[in-house]
Amino acid sequence: MIKTMNSQVLIIGSGGAGLRAAISAADAGAKVLLVCKGKVNRSGSTLLAGANVSADVMCDGRSMAAMNIPGIGDENDSKEKFFNDIILEGVYLNDRKLVHQYVENAPQVIKEIVDSNSNLHPKGDDREIGIPGSTIIDTYYNMMKTRDITVVQDSALVELLKAEDASVAGALFLDLIHGELFAVQAGATVLATGGMHNCYTFTSGTTGLAGEGQAAAIRAGAEMTEMEMVTFCPGVITHPAKWRGSILPYIIHTNDHFRLRNSKNEEFLAKHLPQSAVDLALHSEWNKLLLCYAMYKEVADEGNGDAYGGVTFDMEYDSKEQEQEFYDSHPYLKEGACLSIMDYLRAHHGIPVYGAAHYFDGGLKVDETFATTLPGLFAAGECTGGTFGSNRVSAATTQMLVQGLQAGKTAAECALAHEAKPICPACLEKAIADAEKPFAVKGEDPRLLKKRINEIVSRAAGIVREQQQLEEGLAAIEALQLEQYGVTVADRAYNRSWMDWLECRAMIDCAKGILRSSLARKESRGVFIRSDYFFTDNDNWLVSTHYKNGEVWLEPVDQTEIPAPAGKLDYIANIEAVIKRLTYS
């Protein structure tokens, strides 16, 4: 029989959402166990936020001004204006209750970081400051160390486990180092497992983001929402391989000196966007979706991609003095990997980049307490959906912290109010048997399956999508035979092929949700672009997609607060119309 641990609250994941949830749960009086896939303070996507140079954290300008950071904040701003803008940025698909929670709690978590780092001198503007991802992690890791929180590292989520009444009663994990399965029984479980990046070939995420949390929830029968909404980031390095996935070019692209060129050395944005949209792509937070769309058109439609499947990011200056001024204002570019990348960029007159899967706007459906549709299960951060609707402009770093803050508190209240229910023996037995299936197979290497999943999802559910590709992609994913793949090494201790097999299982479950939800939405909105439905339709498509047990259905999004205007507009024209309504533009 496998080892079983017990805790009142189980936190799965040690990024910003997981750490903040653990702190909240402990402060509420619960016994807390945190399990993470890597090292507690040096794994997950939070560490890479803002290329670990300058991750945005955001709240309303008035609250930011109250923190007394020199040059930051705006007394004339308000939480109401901030709320309004987040709804507009999400193109009206946001869950308003989740946005209220974000706006109300954002000042608290930002102040926690600022007050905990006396040497921090952040730069920013009215609503945001830039803080390295490592600083965010270290802040909450240090806070966590002052609480009685048990941590188990280097352990991957295998399955959510249920009690006899079908409520979530804990989870099954794989100790990656020793190759042993173990269970955790808990009164409440919080998923804080990040995004589904590894479904795609080219991403800006870490290699461990395979969507295990979302997939385990899907298999357990949880409801998902907005699975089709995937933010792609432009300016992500494709080559050299050692920097592949770095978003440094994107971080620095807002200066006036950068250029994007195709394989013919031509600037191309004006070919695919009206000049007004080009200006937004170059100088606003709407750059992700606009630049990625233009890149896709130039590479996929025009055939003008480079040898690495993208375009060239370059920087040009009118004088040496102008170049020196840029470097003086960005001192981090003179150190470490940043310096090496900038040296390469100058020596080669550019660096290859393209749009990479960057952030998942959809995920588990949660309410404002961050309870999922499964009793006993809560979720926070990027594995949830609904907050940002169809487009994330406001900060994901802030989202993970405010949601972790509330999810940990709610989970603790749930666990303390009821005695933990034992895990159903049959459920545990099945979870173990399913996890060990690849040891009974003398089949193909799961790495081949990973590559196949990546190819299917990237082609069918990339920056721009259309009906036939989506249908072919879904059929291809559903035709994959996981049971044909097995482990290549019999020893269970740090068995990479076993880990690959488990990640493939998760990626397939997530891919089905992404593709089926994409097929259901027949319009273009925010980061979701359909070439065969290149319009935003507020008369018929102010609906959210919901996914459960392989089925997709649509539900109207409450428009009581900040209602969308009626009508149907060309996709680009609608973006411009939305931006005109923003209070910060």
Side-chain angles (χ1 to χ4, degrees):
M1 193 62 183
I2 66 170
K3 178 178 71 174
T4 299
M5 305 173 69
N6 292 276
S7 187
Q8 290 175 313
V9 174
L10 167 63
I11 310 291
I12 306 175
S14 65
L19 294 180
R20 194 62 191 81
I23 293 164
S24 285
D27 288 350
K31 178 184 177 183
V32 180
L33 172 64
L34 183 147
V35 183
C36 52
K37 198 173 182 180
K39 299 303 179 186
V40 66
N41 64 331
R42 284 296 177 266
S43 63
S45 56
T46 304
L47 196 63
L48 293 183
N52 198 25
V53 169
S54 181
D56 294 339
V57 290
M58 297 183 69
C59 68
D60 66 282
R62 184 178 299 166
S63 297
M64 192 70 82
M67 297 180 204
N68 297 316
I69 305 170
I72 306 295
D74 178 6
E75 290 285 358
N76 295 318
D77 197 11
S78 67
K79 289 182 177 179
E80 292 74 21
K81 290 179 180 179
F82 190 35
F83 174 87
N84 176 89
D85 288 344
I86 293 174
I87 302 302
L88 294 176
E89 291 162 357
V91 200
Y92 306 100
L93 285 196
N94 318 64
D95 182 321
R96 272 55 168 181
K97 291 181 179 178
L98 296 183
V99 179
H100 274 301
Q101 191 273 343
Y102 177 103
V103 170
E104 287 299 319
N105 291 290
Q108 176 182 336
V109 296
I110 295 173
K111 194 172 188 303
E112 288 173 348
I113 300 171
V114 173
D115 290 350
S116 298
N117 295 273
S118 57
N119 295 324
L120 188 67
H121 302 290
K123 295 182 179 180
D125 56 26
D126 295 345
R127 287 181 174 172
E128 68 182 47
I129 54 176
I131 299 174
S134 59
T135 299
I136 297 172
I137 284 288
D138 289 344
T139 297
Y140 289 100
Y141 178 58
N142 291 332
M143 289 174 64
M144 191 187 75
K145 288 192 296 183
T146 66
R147 275 81 170 170
D148 184 16
I149 298 171
T150 303
V151 175
V152 176
Q153 304 182 116
D154 301 314
S155 298
L157 172 64
V158 174
E159 201 72 275
L160 291 171
L161 300 173
K162 292 185 176 182
E164 294 287 356
D165 66 357
S167 63
V168 173
L172 180 68
F173 295 92
L174 171 62
D175 177 335
L176 300 175
I177 304 301
H178 301 97
E180 298 173 351
L181 294 168
F182 66 94
V184 176
Q185 180 175 300
T189 299
V190 179
L191 285 176
T193 51
M196 302 173 281
H197 297 68
N198 285 0
C199 289
Y200 288 84
T201 301
F202 185 42
T203 89
S204 64
T206 64
T207 55
L209 294 171
E212 289 106 326
Q214 294 90 326
I218 289 170
R219 292 193 295 272
E223 186 176 327
M224 314 297 285
T225 187
E226 315 289 15
M227 289 283 280
E228 74 275 20
M229 298 298 176
V230 182
T231 294
F232 292 83
C233 182
V236 181
I237 296 174
T238 60
H239 181 81
K242 61 183 175 181
W243 299 319
R244 182 177 171 86
S246 171
I247 66 170
L248 184 65
Y250 174 74
I251 295 295
I252 62 176
H253 93 278
T254 50
N255 74 87
D256 291 331
H257 312 296
F258 101 98
R259 301 288 184 271
L260 290 174
R261 295 193 177 92
N262 62 20
S263 59
K264 298 177 180 179
N265 204 34
E266 303 167 334
E267 295 184 40
F268 57 85
L269 295 182
K271 289 168 59 177
H272 310 295
L273 300 170
Q275 187 56 49
S276 54
V278 170
D279 292 339
L280 291 170
L282 297 177
H283 303 295
S284 82
E285 286 288 345
W286 292 73
N287 45 44
K288 286 189 177 75
L289 59 88
L290 291 168
L291 288 177
C292 283
Y293 171 72
M295 285 181 178
Y296 174 89
K297 294 288 286 183
E298 189 65 18
V299 173
D301 290 357
E302 300 289 331
N304 292 329
D306 62 19
Y308 309 104
V311 298
T312 297
F313 172 95
D314 196 7
M315 298 176 70
E316 295 180 347
Y317 305 91
D318 296 330
S319 66
K320 285 291 183 181
E321 291 76 18
Q322 195 178 62
E323 182 177 6
Q324 187 60 48
E325 180 182 342
F326 170 74
Y327 275 88
D328 288 343
S329 63
H330 298 77
Y332 58 84
L333 296 178
K334 303 174 185 178
E335 302 173 354
C338 293
L339 175 61
S340 299
I341 291 171
M342 297 307 294
D343 285 346
Y344 180 98
L345 191 153
R346 286 186 291 185
H348 294 80
H349 304 289
I351 194 164
V353 300
Y354 194 58
H358 179 66
Y359 178 83
F360 291 79
D361 305 77
L364 280 98
K365 177 176 170 52
V366 292
D367 63 19
E368 64 272 26
T369 72
F370 298 94
T372 72
T373 58
L374 294 178
L377 181 65
F378 304 83
E382 193 174 357
C383 65
T384 69
T387 302
F388 296 121
S390 66
N391 178 38
R392 180 189 66 78
V393 174
S394 293
T397 46
T398 312
Q399 175 211 15
M400 68 184 179
L401 297 174
V402 298
Q403 294 189 354
L405 171 74
Q406 182 60 54
K409 179 182 177 183
T410 309
E413 291 170 350
C414 172
L416 292 170
H418 307 283
E419 185 175 345
K421 298 171 183 175
I423 295 167
C424 169
C427 175
L428 176 59
E429 184 179 345
K430 182 180 185 304
I432 295 171
D434 288 346
E436 293 179 339
K437 281 181 179 178
F439 285 97
V441 177
K442 300 298 181 183
E444 296 181 81
D445 190 330
R447 287 178 296 180
L448 300 174
L449 179 58
K450 264 191 174 181
K451 183 178 180 181
R452 179 63 178 145
I453 297 167
N454 290 160
E455 291 170 347
I456 295 169
V457 177
S458 297
R459 181 174 61 251
I463 296 168
V464 177
R465 308 170 197 186
E466 59 87 28
Q467 188 81 14
Q468 183 175 344
Q469 282 187 335
L470 286 167
E471 290 175 346
E472 291 174 352
L474 180 58
I477 286 290
E478 291 182 329
L480 295 176
Q481 301 295 319
L482 184 61
E483 60 269 18
Q484 293 179 359
Y485 298 82
V487 299
T488 55
V489 179
D491 185 4
R492 296 194 177 202
Y494 204 84
N495 190 316
R496 182 64 251 185
S497 64
W498 191 11
M499 295 158 58
D500 287 335
W501 188 92
L502 291 169
E503 289 181 354
C504 284
R505 180 177 67 159
M507 291 158 59
I508 290 171
D509 289 332
C510 292
K512 290 177 182 177
I514 292 170
L515 292 166
R516 286 176 176 152
S517 298
S518 297
L519 278 165
R521 183 172 294 281
K522 292 177 169 49
E523 64 156 0
S524 296
R525 184 180 296 267
V527 298
F528 181 77
I529 305 174
R530 289 277 302 255
S531 60
D532 45 353
Y533 297 98
F534 199 68
F535 54 78
T536 303
D537 185 355
N538 287 341
D539 292 336
N540 300 294
W541 285 97
L542 287 171
V543 296
S544 54
T545 58
H546 295 257
Y547 178 72
K548 178 181 175 181
N549 296 331
E551 300 295 327
V552 178
W553 70 95
L554 307 174
E555 292 185 5
V557 175
D558 185 0
Q559 298 291 311
T560 303
E561 293 183 88
I562 323 295
K568 182 169 77 171
L569 280 176
D570 168 84
Y571 170 72
I572 300 295
N574 185 72
I575 290 174
E576 294 182 289
V578 167
I579 290 174
K580 289 178 181 178
R581 300 186 69 189
L582 292 167
T583 64
Y584 69 74
S585 60

